[in-house]
Amino acid sequence: MSKNLLPSIEACFGDIPDPRVQGRCDHKLIDIIIIAICGIITGAEGWVEVETFGKSKEDWLRSFLELPNGIPSHDTFGRAFEVLDAEAFQNGFSRWVENVFHVTKGQVVAIDGKTARRSHDKTIGKDVIHMVSAWASTNGIVLGQRKVDAKSNEITAIPELLRLLDISGCIVTIDAMGCQKKIAQTICDEKADYVLSVKDNQGKLHQDLQDWFAYGDQVNFENMGSSYCEMVNKGHGRIEIRRCWVVSDPVAFENIRHYEGWAGLQSIVRVQRERRQGEKVQEETAFFISSLSNDAKTILNATRQHWAIENSLHWVLDVTFREDDSRIRAGNSPQNMTVLRHLALNILKNDKSKGSIRNKRYKAALNTTFLEQLLGRV
């Protein structure tokens, strides 16, 4: 990464309101944030490790941070992120992404939620936190995130997240929870397209799509505005076949109950997935609605790329960053730590050298030159 990230981090996070008692703070908030980011890049999983990183690299950190009173203690890191406004921190993250990364237009932006499984605190009746994130499939980075309110669900958090992002010209994919008219309208308002999964939570719509494609099979989709695409992938001893039918026939829409409320709806979609491994064959059929026109190849590719958020984000957070094992739970700390992990992951993913995320974190911990390379300081 050629661009020095530190000025952009200072610009995007430096104006976040400091919730600490003014006049009684020994450490600058921006110093605390930057040390935490660097610590998590190098493998820190909690505030004690962040402090250890800071003390081990104090001379190096002083080359670009003021550190008026040295390295903060782990308690200071914990208290700062416990009271730091989580929404303001998330907004700073989104500004930073827009400032640093060129988000490819037309790419798939996958929206999905993830629970931090050990972020609960039963002693005070605090439940686990659930974060909804946006993943840019082509760039391979997190675009933004929003915490789901305790008395709500993803349906309310997703529109807030979409309005926070610049998704113009992109294709937004969401699982069945996000198949809501309000969300479809928000995506269209942001000048993007959507491919929304339809399941039993939209019971009438789901049944109508099943019925219409069953009728299409009977007539071989003749005299319908339809397209078809098939993709075959081989590897690791298995064969995966994906078949996609897209119908943009106005007659089909007339047979869908409550069709009028879906903003920008142009096509209904059926995707069949078949996996063969030896004698074993698995089959699955899924249905979608989309604002895209009759283009089976584009829509099939979008449905496939949606799963990158599971494999490239959620899995990495669980396995490499050990998010599900984290016991950080006080105040706003859990969601702020999620943002710190997303920051670290974006920086690591943007590095084009060979090696896994785990190995790059280890290398950055051992080699300050490589850490500076990740931060764009060399």
Side-chain angles (χ1 to χ4, degrees):
M1 185 184 297
S2 58
K3 184 173 182 178
N4 189 342
L5 298 185
L6 293 175
S8 66
I9 291 173
E10 291 175 355
C12 295
F13 294 96
D15 62 350
I16 293 177
D18 192 337
R20 301 173 298 167
V21 178
Q22 298 305 305
R24 297 178 60 186
C25 301
D26 294 331
H27 306 281
K28 295 178 64 177
L29 181 60
I30 191 62
D31 288 355
I32 290 174
I33 292 173
I34 291 176
I35 295 170
I37 293 170
C38 293
I40 291 167
I41 288 174
T42 57
E45 296 175 0
W47 309 129
V48 173
E49 290 106 322
V50 170
E51 178 191 357
T52 301
F53 163 82
K55 289 183 175 179
S56 300
K57 302 291 185 181
E58 183 171 355
D59 290 342
W60 174 72
L61 290 166
R62 284 188 180 278
S63 68
F64 56 90
L65 297 179
E66 292 186 17
L67 302 179
N69 291 288
I71 301 298
S73 69
H74 63 274
D75 287 331
T76 298
F77 281 107
R79 286 193 297 267
F81 285 103
E82 178 181 346
V83 297
L84 185 65
D85 186 284
E87 185 172 331
F89 200 42
Q90 292 159 22
N91 292 343
F93 174 89
S94 297
R95 290 196 302 270
W96 175 74
V97 170
E98 290 182 10
N99 183 274
V100 172
F101 299 96
H102 174 69
V103 179
T104 306
K105 296 297 182 183
Q107 71 175 308
V108 171
V109 175
I111 309 291
D112 197 22
K114 182 182 184 300
T115 299
R117 299 190 181 280
R118 300 192 70 192
S119 58
H120 63 279
D121 190 345
K122 293 181 179 179
T123 60
I124 61 173
K126 181 180 179 180
D127 203 353
V128 295
I129 69 161
H130 190 75
M131 300 285 286
V132 175
S133 301
W135 176 259
S137 59
T138 301
N139 294 95
I141 59 172
V142 182
L143 296 180
Q145 60 290 113
R146 266 291 182 266
K147 177 179 176 289
V148 177
D149 291 336
K151 295 182 180 180
S152 182
N153 56 36
E154 292 182 16
I155 295 173
T156 57
I158 290 173
E160 294 177 6
L161 176 58
L162 292 170
R163 285 190 286 267
L164 179 66
L165 307 175
D166 179 10
I167 56 173
S168 174
C170 294
I171 302 171
V172 178
T173 61
I174 314 178
D175 63 14
M177 174 66 78
C179 186
Q180 305 290 330
K181 293 177 180 179
K182 180 180 178 181
I183 292 174
Q185 183 66 61
T186 302
I187 294 170
C188 292
D189 291 344
E190 298 298 319
K191 297 180 173 55
D193 284 298
Y194 61 80
V195 178
L196 305 179
S197 175
V198 180
K199 293 184 179 179
D200 287 338
N201 65 317
Q202 290 285 348
K204 293 180 180 179
L205 177 59
H206 190 231
Q207 186 62 54
D208 290 343
L209 296 186
Q210 291 183 44
D211 293 343
W212 188 258
F213 278 101
Y215 170 71
D217 289 334
Q218 293 176 10
V219 300
N220 200 28
F221 294 94
E222 291 184 3
N223 300 319
M224 292 185 186
S226 64
S227 62
Y228 173 78
C229 180
E230 180 174 313
M231 294 182 181
V232 180
N233 296 96
K234 300 178 181 179
H236 305 288
R238 63 176 181 263
I239 300 174
E240 293 187 358
I241 305 170
R242 296 176 177 85
R243 305 179 181 92
C244 179
W245 293 261
V246 176
V247 172
S248 296
D249 189 340
V251 177
F253 297 150
E254 292 174 3
N255 285 275
I256 294 176
R257 285 167 281 188
H258 311 300
Y259 152 71
E260 298 83 1
W262 293 100
L265 179 60
Q266 292 199 55
S267 57
I268 58 176
V269 183
R270 180 179 68 184
V271 174
Q272 290 182 346
R273 307 182 185 100
E274 180 180 330
R275 174 179 291 188
R276 302 174 185 173
Q277 190 165 15
E279 299 285 327
K280 189 176 181 180
V281 178
Q282 293 177 304
E283 294 181 338
E284 179 186 11
T285 301
F287 295 92
F288 304 84
I289 57 174
S290 178
S291 62
L292 292 167
S293 59
N294 197 354
D295 187 345
K297 183 177 180 180
T298 297
I299 292 176
L300 179 58
N301 184 58
T303 64
R304 185 182 184 188
Q305 289 190 49
H306 176 79
W307 295 107
I309 194 170
E310 290 286 349
N311 301 327
S312 300
L313 177 59
H314 297 339
W315 187 87
V316 172
L317 290 174
D318 284 342
V319 176
T320 304
F321 288 82
R322 296 174 59 85
E323 183 173 73
D324 276 354
D325 293 329
S326 175
R327 293 299 287 139
I328 293 174
R329 55 189 177 178
N332 294 333
S333 292
Q335 53 263 47
N336 287 332
M337 177 57 89
T338 295
V339 175
L340 290 170
R341 294 189 190 103
H342 287 175
L343 276 158
L345 179 60
N346 278 4
I347 292 170
L348 290 159
K349 292 284 286 186
N350 205 56
D351 176 68
K352 303 308 178 187
S353 63
K354 293 184 178 179
S356 66
I357 297 297
R358 183 190 299 274
N359 189 61
K360 289 181 181 180
R361 296 181 81 194
Y362 185 55
K363 183 177 178 180
L366 297 176
N367 188 337
T368 303
T369 301
F370 180 64
L371 178 56
E372 289 193 324
Q373 176 183 319
L374 292 174
L375 296 173
R377 297 190 73 231
V378 295

